[in-house]
Amino acid sequence: MNLHQLVYYSRNTVSGDSRAMLQELRQIVSVSQRNNARDGITGALIFDKTWFLQVLEGDAAAITRTYDRISKDSRHSTVTLMEKKAVGERRFADWSMGGTMRTPEMQEIFLSHGIGGTIDPTRLDGRTVVALAADLKAFEAERRAAAS
Ligand code: FAD
């Protein structure tokens, strides 16, 4: 496999109140998990009310196909490629697509990556998004372990 990692950001255009938005986002994550498991893609999706940040990992051609499909989705706009590069291994091997909605309790993690207030994706690079997503993944795992 020609393993690659792709990082992009986009503007969230999902409308409705918080509940409707969360429902739509759950639907996006669920369809992503189904398709990505089929296509050998893994990764992470971070979102707030304004932005999406996503990491896709897998075969270069499969990632390009998926990114092309995602780019046409009307639930976001300004889809902007931040980085696409060959990698030696996956960072999110056990996540066909993990979705993380930004909440106040994650503030410290965002701060440790230089994001204090609202996200400004034009000031971020691919490496920072991947590191942030990995820390959020660890945070989610700890939270799940504490709850069980
Ligand atoms: P279908 O089974 O045809 O549709 C899936 C569901 O999504 C249906 O309920 C349909 O109504 C709804 N839907 C599809 N397109 C739209 C649209 N434009 N507007 C509103 N509702 C719609 N897909 C992936 O496969 N992998 C990903 O990692 C991934 N990440 C995404 C990240 C973001 C931020 C967004 C916005 C979308 C993402 N998607 C991803 C979804 C992708 O854009 C396509 O909607 C999806 O891949 C279509 O797959 P399908 O043909 O199997 O879906």
PDB file of all heavy atoms in Angstrom, residues 8 10 14 24-25 27-29 31-36 38-39 41 45 52 54-56 66 69-76 96-97, ligand 1:
ATOM      1  N   TYR A   8      -7.039  18.425   5.968  1.00  0.00           N
ATOM      2  CA  TYR A   8      -7.694  19.594   5.385  1.00  0.00           C
ATOM      3  C   TYR A   8      -8.541  20.290   6.447  1.00  0.00           C
ATOM      4  O   TYR A   8      -8.824  19.718   7.501  1.00  0.00           O
ATOM      5  CB  TYR A   8      -8.580  19.204   4.181  1.00  0.00           C
ATOM      6  CG  TYR A   8      -9.907  18.571   4.557  1.00  0.00           C
ATOM      7  CD1 TYR A   8     -11.021  19.362   4.861  1.00  0.00           C
ATOM      8  CD2 TYR A   8     -10.061  17.192   4.631  1.00  0.00           C
ATOM      9  CE1 TYR A   8     -12.234  18.791   5.210  1.00  0.00           C
ATOM     10  CE2 TYR A   8     -11.277  16.618   4.981  1.00  0.00           C
ATOM     11  CZ  TYR A   8     -12.359  17.417   5.276  1.00  0.00           C
ATOM     12  OH  TYR A   8     -13.560  16.845   5.640  1.00  0.00           O
ATOM     13  N   SER A  10     -12.242  22.870   6.672  1.00  0.00           N
ATOM     14  CA  SER A  10     -13.371  23.416   5.914  1.00  0.00           C
ATOM     15  C   SER A  10     -14.291  24.151   6.874  1.00  0.00           C
ATOM     16  O   SER A  10     -14.200  23.987   8.092  1.00  0.00           O
ATOM     17  CB  SER A  10     -14.142  22.300   5.208  1.00  0.00           C
ATOM     18  OG  SER A  10     -14.683  21.401   6.158  1.00  0.00           O
ATOM     19  N   VAL A  14     -23.412  23.292   8.384  1.00  0.00           N
ATOM     20  CA  VAL A  14     -24.593  22.574   8.878  1.00  0.00           C
ATOM     21  C   VAL A  14     -25.455  23.569   9.651  1.00  0.00           C
ATOM     22  O   VAL A  14     -24.959  24.275  10.526  1.00  0.00           O
ATOM     23  CB  VAL A  14     -24.184  21.396   9.799  1.00  0.00           C
ATOM     24  CG1 VAL A  14     -25.401  20.751  10.436  1.00  0.00           C
ATOM     25  CG2 VAL A  14     -23.365  20.366   9.021  1.00  0.00           C
ATOM     26  N   GLU A  24     -26.757  15.775  12.678  1.00  0.00           N
ATOM     27  CA  GLU A  24     -26.198  15.741  11.318  1.00  0.00           C
ATOM     28  C   GLU A  24     -24.738  15.276  11.360  1.00  0.00           C
ATOM     29  O   GLU A  24     -24.291  14.490  10.528  1.00  0.00           O
ATOM     30  CB  GLU A  24     -26.284  17.149  10.714  1.00  0.00           C
ATOM     31  CG  GLU A  24     -25.928  17.234   9.241  1.00  0.00           C
ATOM     32  CD  GLU A  24     -26.910  16.530   8.318  1.00  0.00           C
ATOM     33  OE1 GLU A  24     -28.128  16.734   8.470  1.00  0.00           O
ATOM     34  OE2 GLU A  24     -26.460  15.764   7.441  1.00  0.00           O
ATOM     35  N   LEU A  25     -24.019  15.752  12.377  1.00  0.00           N
ATOM     36  CA  LEU A  25     -22.603  15.387  12.489  1.00  0.00           C
ATOM     37  C   LEU A  25     -22.438  13.913  12.844  1.00  0.00           C
ATOM     38  O   LEU A  25     -21.531  13.244  12.360  1.00  0.00           O
ATOM     39  CB  LEU A  25     -21.912  16.298  13.504  1.00  0.00           C
ATOM     40  CG  LEU A  25     -21.822  17.739  12.991  1.00  0.00           C
ATOM     41  CD1 LEU A  25     -21.529  18.722  14.098  1.00  0.00           C
ATOM     42  CD2 LEU A  25     -20.780  17.864  11.896  1.00  0.00           C
ATOM     43  N   GLN A  27     -24.428  11.657  11.855  1.00  0.00           N
ATOM     44  CA  GLN A  27     -24.721  10.989  10.575  1.00  0.00           C
ATOM     45  C   GLN A  27     -23.468  10.990   9.681  1.00  0.00           C
ATOM     46  O   GLN A  27     -23.131   9.979   9.077  1.00  0.00           O
ATOM     47  CB  GLN A  27     -25.892  11.731   9.910  1.00  0.00           C
ATOM     48  CG  GLN A  27     -26.138  11.417   8.462  1.00  0.00           C
ATOM     49  CD  GLN A  27     -26.887  10.102   8.281  1.00  0.00           C
ATOM     50  OE1 GLN A  27     -27.253   9.466   9.251  1.00  0.00           O
ATOM     51  NE2 GLN A  27     -27.096   9.690   7.047  1.00  0.00           N
ATOM     52  N   ILE A  28     -22.776  12.120   9.643  1.00  0.00           N
ATOM     53  CA  ILE A  28     -21.548  12.214   8.839  1.00  0.00           C
ATOM     54  C   ILE A  28     -20.514  11.210   9.345  1.00  0.00           C
ATOM     55  O   ILE A  28     -19.907  10.473   8.558  1.00  0.00           O
ATOM     56  CB  ILE A  28     -20.969  13.658   8.900  1.00  0.00           C
ATOM     57  CG1 ILE A  28     -21.868  14.622   8.123  1.00  0.00           C
ATOM     58  CG2 ILE A  28     -19.546  13.705   8.351  1.00  0.00           C
ATOM     59  CD1 ILE A  28     -21.523  16.101   8.275  1.00  0.00           C
ATOM     60  N   VAL A  29     -20.331  11.149  10.663  1.00  0.00           N
ATOM     61  CA  VAL A  29     -19.330  10.239  11.233  1.00  0.00           C
ATOM     62  C   VAL A  29     -19.721   8.787  10.958  1.00  0.00           C
ATOM     63  O   VAL A  29     -18.893   7.959  10.585  1.00  0.00           O
ATOM     64  CB  VAL A  29     -19.149  10.503  12.754  1.00  0.00           C
ATOM     65  CG1 VAL A  29     -18.279   9.424  13.386  1.00  0.00           C
ATOM     66  CG2 VAL A  29     -18.519  11.871  12.977  1.00  0.00           C
ATOM     67  N   VAL A  31     -21.617   7.512   8.468  1.00  0.00           N
ATOM     68  CA  VAL A  31     -21.400   7.174   7.047  1.00  0.00           C
ATOM     69  C   VAL A  31     -19.899   7.088   6.753  1.00  0.00           C
ATOM     70  O   VAL A  31     -19.442   6.196   6.028  1.00  0.00           O
ATOM     71  CB  VAL A  31     -22.087   8.222   6.128  1.00  0.00           C
ATOM     72  CG1 VAL A  31     -21.654   8.051   4.679  1.00  0.00           C
ATOM     73  CG2 VAL A  31     -23.586   8.121   6.243  1.00  0.00           C
ATOM     74  N   SER A  32     -19.126   7.987   7.360  1.00  0.00           N
ATOM     75  CA  SER A  32     -17.670   7.973   7.155  1.00  0.00           C
ATOM     76  C   SER A  32     -17.084   6.659   7.650  1.00  0.00           C
ATOM     77  O   SER A  32     -16.239   6.055   6.986  1.00  0.00           O
ATOM     78  CB  SER A  32     -17.012   9.128   7.918  1.00  0.00           C
ATOM     79  OG  SER A  32     -17.530  10.348   7.479  1.00  0.00           O
ATOM     80  N   GLN A  33     -17.517   6.221   8.824  1.00  0.00           N
ATOM     81  CA  GLN A  33     -16.975   4.973   9.388  1.00  0.00           C
ATOM     82  C   GLN A  33     -17.295   3.796   8.470  1.00  0.00           C
ATOM     83  O   GLN A  33     -16.440   2.949   8.223  1.00  0.00           O
ATOM     84  CB  GLN A  33     -17.540   4.740  10.792  1.00  0.00           C
ATOM     85  CG  GLN A  33     -16.937   5.718  11.793  1.00  0.00           C
ATOM     86  CD  GLN A  33     -17.589   5.675  13.163  1.00  0.00           C
ATOM     87  OE1 GLN A  33     -18.692   5.155  13.316  1.00  0.00           O
ATOM     88  NE2 GLN A  33     -16.913   6.246  14.146  1.00  0.00           N
ATOM     89  N   ARG A  34     -18.510   3.780   7.952  1.00  0.00           N
ATOM     90  CA  ARG A  34     -18.909   2.683   7.060  1.00  0.00           C
ATOM     91  C   ARG A  34     -18.053   2.682   5.789  1.00  0.00           C
ATOM     92  O   ARG A  34     -17.452   1.673   5.425  1.00  0.00           O
ATOM     93  CB  ARG A  34     -20.397   2.831   6.702  1.00  0.00           C
ATOM     94  CG  ARG A  34     -20.959   1.681   5.901  1.00  0.00           C
ATOM     95  CD  ARG A  34     -22.326   2.018   5.355  1.00  0.00           C
ATOM     96  NE  ARG A  34     -22.245   3.060   4.325  1.00  0.00           N
ATOM     97  CZ  ARG A  34     -23.240   3.856   3.974  1.00  0.00           C
ATOM     98  NH1 ARG A  34     -24.402   3.770   4.573  1.00  0.00           N
ATOM     99  NH2 ARG A  34     -23.088   4.748   3.018  1.00  0.00           N
ATOM    100  N   ASN A  35     -17.979   3.838   5.140  1.00  0.00           N
ATOM    101  CA  ASN A  35     -17.227   3.926   3.870  1.00  0.00           C
ATOM    102  C   ASN A  35     -15.726   3.720   4.083  1.00  0.00           C
ATOM    103  O   ASN A  35     -15.076   3.040   3.293  1.00  0.00           O
ATOM    104  CB  ASN A  35     -17.440   5.297   3.223  1.00  0.00           C
ATOM    105  CG  ASN A  35     -18.847   5.450   2.683  1.00  0.00           C
ATOM    106  OD1 ASN A  35     -19.583   4.476   2.542  1.00  0.00           O
ATOM    107  ND2 ASN A  35     -19.245   6.671   2.399  1.00  0.00           N
ATOM    108  N   ASN A  36     -15.193   4.323   5.149  1.00  0.00           N
ATOM    109  CA  ASN A  36     -13.743   4.253   5.366  1.00  0.00           C
ATOM    110  C   ASN A  36     -13.300   2.842   5.716  1.00  0.00           C
ATOM    111  O   ASN A  36     -12.225   2.412   5.291  1.00  0.00           O
ATOM    112  CB  ASN A  36     -13.322   5.246   6.456  1.00  0.00           C
ATOM    113  CG  ASN A  36     -13.543   6.686   6.033  1.00  0.00           C
ATOM    114  OD1 ASN A  36     -13.884   6.958   4.876  1.00  0.00           O
ATOM    115  ND2 ASN A  36     -13.360   7.609   6.942  1.00  0.00           N
ATOM    116  N   ARG A  38     -14.630   0.198   4.593  1.00  0.00           N
ATOM    117  CA  ARG A  38     -14.650  -0.475   3.289  1.00  0.00           C
ATOM    118  C   ARG A  38     -13.399  -0.124   2.457  1.00  0.00           C
ATOM    119  O   ARG A  38     -12.825  -0.987   1.808  1.00  0.00           O
ATOM    120  CB  ARG A  38     -15.924  -0.024   2.527  1.00  0.00           C
ATOM    121  CG  ARG A  38     -16.080  -0.567   1.116  1.00  0.00           C
ATOM    122  CD  ARG A  38     -17.149   0.222   0.375  1.00  0.00           C
ATOM    123  NE  ARG A  38     -16.728   1.615   0.152  1.00  0.00           N
ATOM    124  CZ  ARG A  38     -17.547   2.634  -0.102  1.00  0.00           C
ATOM    125  NH1 ARG A  38     -18.837   2.437  -0.162  1.00  0.00           N
ATOM    126  NH2 ARG A  38     -17.071   3.851  -0.308  1.00  0.00           N
ATOM    127  N   ASP A  39     -12.968   1.135   2.562  1.00  0.00           N
ATOM    128  CA  ASP A  39     -11.884   1.627   1.692  1.00  0.00           C
ATOM    129  C   ASP A  39     -10.502   1.590   2.346  1.00  0.00           C
ATOM    130  O   ASP A  39      -9.535   2.103   1.767  1.00  0.00           O
ATOM    131  CB  ASP A  39     -12.190   3.080   1.261  1.00  0.00           C
ATOM    132  CG  ASP A  39     -13.501   3.179   0.485  1.00  0.00           C
ATOM    133  OD1 ASP A  39     -13.918   2.153  -0.112  1.00  0.00           O
ATOM    134  OD2 ASP A  39     -14.119   4.256   0.488  1.00  0.00           O
ATOM    135  N   ILE A  41      -9.517   3.215   4.987  1.00  0.00           N
ATOM    136  CA  ILE A  41      -9.132   4.565   5.427  1.00  0.00           C
ATOM    137  C   ILE A  41      -9.364   4.699   6.933  1.00  0.00           C
ATOM    138  O   ILE A  41     -10.366   4.201   7.456  1.00  0.00           O
ATOM    139  CB  ILE A  41      -9.924   5.639   4.645  1.00  0.00           C
ATOM    140  CG1 ILE A  41      -9.451   5.650   3.186  1.00  0.00           C
ATOM    141  CG2 ILE A  41      -9.784   7.022   5.271  1.00  0.00           C
ATOM    142  CD1 ILE A  41     -10.229   6.555   2.286  1.00  0.00           C
ATOM    143  N   LEU A  45     -11.801  13.345  12.825  1.00  0.00           N
ATOM    144  CA  LEU A  45     -12.543  14.554  12.440  1.00  0.00           C
ATOM    145  C   LEU A  45     -12.795  15.371  13.700  1.00  0.00           C
ATOM    146  O   LEU A  45     -13.393  14.878  14.654  1.00  0.00           O
ATOM    147  CB  LEU A  45     -13.875  14.153  11.791  1.00  0.00           C
ATOM    148  CG  LEU A  45     -14.823  15.272  11.381  1.00  0.00           C
ATOM    149  CD1 LEU A  45     -14.232  16.095  10.243  1.00  0.00           C
ATOM    150  CD2 LEU A  45     -16.180  14.694  10.939  1.00  0.00           C
ATOM    151  N   PHE A  52     -14.376  22.423  10.432  1.00  0.00           N
ATOM    152  CA  PHE A  52     -13.998  21.013  10.464  1.00  0.00           C
ATOM    153  C   PHE A  52     -12.484  20.955  10.238  1.00  0.00           C
ATOM    154  O   PHE A  52     -11.944  21.684   9.386  1.00  0.00           O
ATOM    155  CB  PHE A  52     -14.640  20.229   9.314  1.00  0.00           C
ATOM    156  CG  PHE A  52     -16.126  20.019   9.435  1.00  0.00           C
ATOM    157  CD1 PHE A  52     -17.009  20.663   8.574  1.00  0.00           C
ATOM    158  CD2 PHE A  52     -16.641  19.147  10.377  1.00  0.00           C
ATOM    159  CE1 PHE A  52     -18.376  20.463   8.669  1.00  0.00           C
ATOM    160  CE2 PHE A  52     -18.010  18.933  10.478  1.00  0.00           C
ATOM    161  CZ  PHE A  52     -18.881  19.594   9.618  1.00  0.00           C
ATOM    162  N   GLN A  54      -9.879  17.679   9.474  1.00  0.00           N
ATOM    163  CA  GLN A  54      -9.931  16.228   9.292  1.00  0.00           C
ATOM    164  C   GLN A  54      -8.591  15.672   8.829  1.00  0.00           C
ATOM    165  O   GLN A  54      -7.885  16.284   8.024  1.00  0.00           O
ATOM    166  CB  GLN A  54     -11.025  15.845   8.279  1.00  0.00           C
ATOM    167  CG  GLN A  54     -11.272  14.334   8.232  1.00  0.00           C
ATOM    168  CD  GLN A  54     -12.496  13.938   7.427  1.00  0.00           C
ATOM    169  OE1 GLN A  54     -12.926  14.661   6.532  1.00  0.00           O
ATOM    170  NE2 GLN A  54     -13.070  12.784   7.746  1.00  0.00           N
ATOM    171  N   VAL A  55      -8.271  14.490   9.368  1.00  0.00           N
ATOM    172  CA  VAL A  55      -7.083  13.734   8.959  1.00  0.00           C
ATOM    173  C   VAL A  55      -7.565  12.441   8.320  1.00  0.00           C
ATOM    174  O   VAL A  55      -8.407  11.736   8.896  1.00  0.00           O
ATOM    175  CB  VAL A  55      -6.199  13.371  10.186  1.00  0.00           C
ATOM    176  CG1 VAL A  55      -4.935  12.651   9.731  1.00  0.00           C
ATOM    177  CG2 VAL A  55      -5.862  14.590  11.024  1.00  0.00           C
ATOM    178  N   LEU A  56      -7.079  12.155   7.114  1.00  0.00           N
ATOM    179  CA  LEU A  56      -7.404  10.893   6.432  1.00  0.00           C
ATOM    180  C   LEU A  56      -6.099  10.145   6.193  1.00  0.00           C
ATOM    181  O   LEU A  56      -5.115  10.740   5.730  1.00  0.00           O
ATOM    182  CB  LEU A  56      -8.073  11.167   5.072  1.00  0.00           C
ATOM    183  CG  LEU A  56      -9.416  11.895   5.072  1.00  0.00           C
ATOM    184  CD1 LEU A  56      -9.778  12.339   3.653  1.00  0.00           C
ATOM    185  CD2 LEU A  56     -10.519  11.024   5.635  1.00  0.00           C
ATOM    186  N   THR A  66     -11.787   9.675  -1.756  1.00  0.00           N
ATOM    187  CA  THR A  66     -12.635  10.077  -0.621  1.00  0.00           C
ATOM    188  C   THR A  66     -12.632  11.598  -0.461  1.00  0.00           C
ATOM    189  O   THR A  66     -13.686  12.215  -0.267  1.00  0.00           O
ATOM    190  CB  THR A  66     -12.143   9.380   0.671  1.00  0.00           C
ATOM    191  OG1 THR A  66     -12.246   7.977   0.484  1.00  0.00           O
ATOM    192  CG2 THR A  66     -12.966   9.793   1.879  1.00  0.00           C
ATOM    193  N   ARG A  69     -14.822  13.237  -2.976  1.00  0.00           N
ATOM    194  CA  ARG A  69     -16.251  13.091  -2.634  1.00  0.00           C
ATOM    195  C   ARG A  69     -16.608  14.059  -1.492  1.00  0.00           C
ATOM    196  O   ARG A  69     -17.623  14.752  -1.554  1.00  0.00           O
ATOM    197  CB  ARG A  69     -16.493  11.638  -2.205  1.00  0.00           C
ATOM    198  CG  ARG A  69     -17.941  11.216  -2.232  1.00  0.00           C
ATOM    199  CD  ARG A  69     -18.095   9.718  -2.064  1.00  0.00           C
ATOM    200  NE  ARG A  69     -17.645   9.224  -0.784  1.00  0.00           N
ATOM    201  CZ  ARG A  69     -16.676   8.314  -0.607  1.00  0.00           C
ATOM    202  NH1 ARG A  69     -16.073   7.773  -1.633  1.00  0.00           N
ATOM    203  NH2 ARG A  69     -16.321   7.927   0.597  1.00  0.00           N
ATOM    204  N   ILE A  70     -15.761  14.095  -0.469  1.00  0.00           N
ATOM    205  CA  ILE A  70     -16.020  14.977   0.677  1.00  0.00           C
ATOM    206  C   ILE A  70     -16.080  16.439   0.226  1.00  0.00           C
ATOM    207  O   ILE A  70     -16.945  17.207   0.675  1.00  0.00           O
ATOM    208  CB  ILE A  70     -14.908  14.809   1.752  1.00  0.00           C
ATOM    209  CG1 ILE A  70     -14.955  13.418   2.385  1.00  0.00           C
ATOM    210  CG2 ILE A  70     -15.035  15.872   2.834  1.00  0.00           C
ATOM    211  CD1 ILE A  70     -13.773  13.111   3.310  1.00  0.00           C
ATOM    212  N   SER A  71     -15.181  16.821  -0.680  1.00  0.00           N
ATOM    213  CA  SER A  71     -15.099  18.230  -1.114  1.00  0.00           C
ATOM    214  C   SER A  71     -16.403  18.725  -1.735  1.00  0.00           C
ATOM    215  O   SER A  71     -16.681  19.925  -1.718  1.00  0.00           O
ATOM    216  CB  SER A  71     -13.994  18.401  -2.159  1.00  0.00           C
ATOM    217  OG  SER A  71     -12.780  17.946  -1.662  1.00  0.00           O
ATOM    218  N   LYS A  72     -17.190  17.781  -2.298  1.00  0.00           N
ATOM    219  CA  LYS A  72     -18.435  18.190  -2.973  1.00  0.00           C
ATOM    220  C   LYS A  72     -19.614  18.254  -2.012  1.00  0.00           C
ATOM    221  O   LYS A  72     -20.725  18.591  -2.413  1.00  0.00           O
ATOM    222  CB  LYS A  72     -18.752  17.184  -4.089  1.00  0.00           C
ATOM    223  CG  LYS A  72     -17.702  17.161  -5.179  1.00  0.00           C
ATOM    224  CD  LYS A  72     -18.160  16.288  -6.360  1.00  0.00           C
ATOM    225  CE  LYS A  72     -17.073  16.201  -7.407  1.00  0.00           C
ATOM    226  NZ  LYS A  72     -16.178  15.042  -7.234  1.00  0.00           N
ATOM    227  N   ASP A  73     -19.406  17.907  -0.757  1.00  0.00           N
ATOM    228  CA  ASP A  73     -20.504  17.838   0.217  1.00  0.00           C
ATOM    229  C   ASP A  73     -20.968  19.241   0.589  1.00  0.00           C
ATOM    230  O   ASP A  73     -20.157  20.106   0.947  1.00  0.00           O
ATOM    231  CB  ASP A  73     -20.000  17.076   1.457  1.00  0.00           C
ATOM    232  CG  ASP A  73     -21.122  16.589   2.353  1.00  0.00           C
ATOM    233  OD1 ASP A  73     -22.018  17.398   2.667  1.00  0.00           O
ATOM    234  OD2 ASP A  73     -21.108  15.417   2.723  1.00  0.00           O
ATOM    235  N   SER A  74     -22.287  19.468   0.516  1.00  0.00           N
ATOM    236  CA  SER A  74     -22.821  20.809   0.774  1.00  0.00           C
ATOM    237  C   SER A  74     -22.894  21.138   2.261  1.00  0.00           C
ATOM    238  O   SER A  74     -23.277  22.258   2.626  1.00  0.00           O
ATOM    239  CB  SER A  74     -24.212  20.932   0.157  1.00  0.00           C
ATOM    240  OG  SER A  74     -25.052  19.936   0.702  1.00  0.00           O
ATOM    241  N   ARG A  75     -22.527  20.203   3.128  1.00  0.00           N
ATOM    242  CA  ARG A  75     -22.576  20.483   4.557  1.00  0.00           C
ATOM    243  C   ARG A  75     -21.337  21.238   5.047  1.00  0.00           C
ATOM    244  O   ARG A  75     -21.192  21.515   6.228  1.00  0.00           O
ATOM    245  CB  ARG A  75     -22.785  19.185   5.340  1.00  0.00           C
ATOM    246  CG  ARG A  75     -24.189  18.611   5.091  1.00  0.00           C
ATOM    247  CD  ARG A  75     -24.326  17.227   5.614  1.00  0.00           C
ATOM    248  NE  ARG A  75     -23.571  16.261   4.800  1.00  0.00           N
ATOM    249  CZ  ARG A  75     -23.643  14.942   4.946  1.00  0.00           C
ATOM    250  NH1 ARG A  75     -24.437  14.442   5.873  1.00  0.00           N
ATOM    251  NH2 ARG A  75     -22.941  14.147   4.175  1.00  0.00           N
ATOM    252  N   HIS A  76     -20.438  21.511   4.132  1.00  0.00           N
ATOM    253  CA  HIS A  76     -19.307  22.389   4.449  1.00  0.00           C
ATOM    254  C   HIS A  76     -18.865  23.134   3.195  1.00  0.00           C
ATOM    255  O   HIS A  76     -19.301  22.820   2.080  1.00  0.00           O
ATOM    256  CB  HIS A  76     -18.144  21.628   5.108  1.00  0.00           C
ATOM    257  CG  HIS A  76     -17.548  20.520   4.299  1.00  0.00           C
ATOM    258  ND1 HIS A  76     -16.401  19.865   4.667  1.00  0.00           N
ATOM    259  CD2 HIS A  76     -17.925  19.925   3.136  1.00  0.00           C
ATOM    260  CE1 HIS A  76     -16.107  18.937   3.790  1.00  0.00           C
ATOM    261  NE2 HIS A  76     -17.007  18.947   2.858  1.00  0.00           N
ATOM    262  N   SER A  96     -11.740   4.120  12.155  1.00  0.00           N
ATOM    263  CA  SER A  96     -12.154   4.294  10.759  1.00  0.00           C
ATOM    264  C   SER A  96     -12.550   5.759  10.542  1.00  0.00           C
ATOM    265  O   SER A  96     -12.398   6.291   9.450  1.00  0.00           O
ATOM    266  CB  SER A  96     -13.301   3.356  10.403  1.00  0.00           C
ATOM    267  OG  SER A  96     -14.367   3.550  11.287  1.00  0.00           O
ATOM    268  N   MET A  97     -13.041   6.398  11.565  1.00  0.00           N
ATOM    269  CA  MET A  97     -13.174   7.863  11.621  1.00  0.00           C
ATOM    270  C   MET A  97     -13.688   8.234  13.013  1.00  0.00           C
ATOM    271  O   MET A  97     -14.830   7.955  13.350  1.00  0.00           O
ATOM    272  CB  MET A  97     -14.138   8.409  10.552  1.00  0.00           C
ATOM    273  CG  MET A  97     -14.135   9.954  10.441  1.00  0.00           C
ATOM    274  SD  MET A  97     -12.470  10.703  10.394  1.00  0.00           S
ATOM    275  CE  MET A  97     -11.775  10.011   8.907  1.00  0.00           C
TER     276      MET A  97
HETATM  277  P1  FAD B   1     -25.081   7.847   1.118  1.00  0.00           P
HETATM  278  O1  FAD B   1     -25.409   6.560   1.789  1.00  0.00           O
HETATM  279  O2  FAD B   1     -25.508   8.109  -0.287  1.00  0.00           O
HETATM  280  O3  FAD B   1     -25.541   9.055   2.038  1.00  0.00           O
HETATM  281  C1  FAD B   1     -25.204   9.060   3.385  1.00  0.00           C
HETATM  282  C2  FAD B   1     -26.087  10.033   4.134  1.00  0.00           C
HETATM  283  O4  FAD B   1     -25.549  11.344   4.026  1.00  0.00           O
HETATM  284  C3  FAD B   1     -27.512  10.106   3.622  1.00  0.00           C
HETATM  285  O5  FAD B   1     -28.385  10.184   4.714  1.00  0.00           O
HETATM  286  C4  FAD B   1     -27.539  11.381   2.792  1.00  0.00           C
HETATM  287  O6  FAD B   1     -28.787  11.998   2.842  1.00  0.00           O
HETATM  288  C5  FAD B   1     -26.539  12.223   3.501  1.00  0.00           C
HETATM  289  N1  FAD B   1     -25.856  13.122   2.584  1.00  0.00           N
HETATM  290  C6  FAD B   1     -24.970  12.756   1.633  1.00  0.00           C
HETATM  291  N2  FAD B   1     -24.518  13.854   1.004  1.00  0.00           N
HETATM  292  C7  FAD B   1     -25.136  14.922   1.574  1.00  0.00           C
HETATM  293  C8  FAD B   1     -25.083  16.314   1.364  1.00  0.00           C
HETATM  294  N3  FAD B   1     -24.291  16.841   0.426  1.00  0.00           N
HETATM  295  N4  FAD B   1     -25.850  17.105   2.139  1.00  0.00           N
HETATM  296  C9  FAD B   1     -26.649  16.582   3.082  1.00  0.00           C
HETATM  297  N5  FAD B   1     -26.756  15.265   3.334  1.00  0.00           N
HETATM  298  C10 FAD B   1     -26.008  14.453   2.593  1.00  0.00           C
HETATM  299  N6  FAD B   1     -17.448  10.372   3.780  1.00  0.00           N
HETATM  300  C11 FAD B   1     -16.587   9.342   3.811  1.00  0.00           C
HETATM  301  O7  FAD B   1     -16.823   8.323   3.133  1.00  0.00           O
HETATM  302  N7  FAD B   1     -15.472   9.368   4.588  1.00  0.00           N
HETATM  303  C12 FAD B   1     -15.141  10.456   5.360  1.00  0.00           C
HETATM  304  O8  FAD B   1     -14.120  10.426   6.063  1.00  0.00           O
HETATM  305  C13 FAD B   1     -16.013  11.570   5.331  1.00  0.00           C
HETATM  306  N8  FAD B   1     -15.758  12.679   6.044  1.00  0.00           N
HETATM  307  C14 FAD B   1     -16.592  13.754   5.954  1.00  0.00           C
HETATM  308  C15 FAD B   1     -16.265  14.917   6.644  1.00  0.00           C
HETATM  309  C16 FAD B   1     -17.092  16.030   6.522  1.00  0.00           C
HETATM  310  C17 FAD B   1     -16.719  17.291   7.267  1.00  0.00           C
HETATM  311  C18 FAD B   1     -18.258  15.975   5.748  1.00  0.00           C
HETATM  312  C19 FAD B   1     -19.150  17.189   5.630  1.00  0.00           C
HETATM  313  C20 FAD B   1     -18.584  14.824   5.059  1.00  0.00           C
HETATM  314  C21 FAD B   1     -17.773  13.702   5.155  1.00  0.00           C
HETATM  315  N9  FAD B   1     -18.077  12.535   4.482  1.00  0.00           N
HETATM  316  C22 FAD B   1     -17.190  11.491   4.514  1.00  0.00           C
HETATM  317  C23 FAD B   1     -19.353  12.376   3.775  1.00  0.00           C
HETATM  318  C24 FAD B   1     -19.169  12.554   2.290  1.00  0.00           C
HETATM  319  O9  FAD B   1     -19.118  13.907   1.960  1.00  0.00           O
HETATM  320  C25 FAD B   1     -20.326  11.901   1.529  1.00  0.00           C
HETATM  321  O10 FAD B   1     -21.556  12.412   1.977  1.00  0.00           O
HETATM  322  C26 FAD B   1     -20.346  10.405   1.744  1.00  0.00           C
HETATM  323  O11 FAD B   1     -19.047   9.879   1.572  1.00  0.00           O
HETATM  324  C27 FAD B   1     -21.313   9.772   0.747  1.00  0.00           C
HETATM  325  O12 FAD B   1     -21.238   8.421   0.953  1.00  0.00           O
HETATM  326  P2  FAD B   1     -22.378   7.447   0.403  1.00  0.00           P
HETATM  327  O13 FAD B   1     -22.482   7.655  -1.052  1.00  0.00           O
HETATM  328  O14 FAD B   1     -22.086   6.066   0.918  1.00  0.00           O
HETATM  329  O15 FAD B   1     -23.546   8.065   1.224  1.00  0.00           O
END
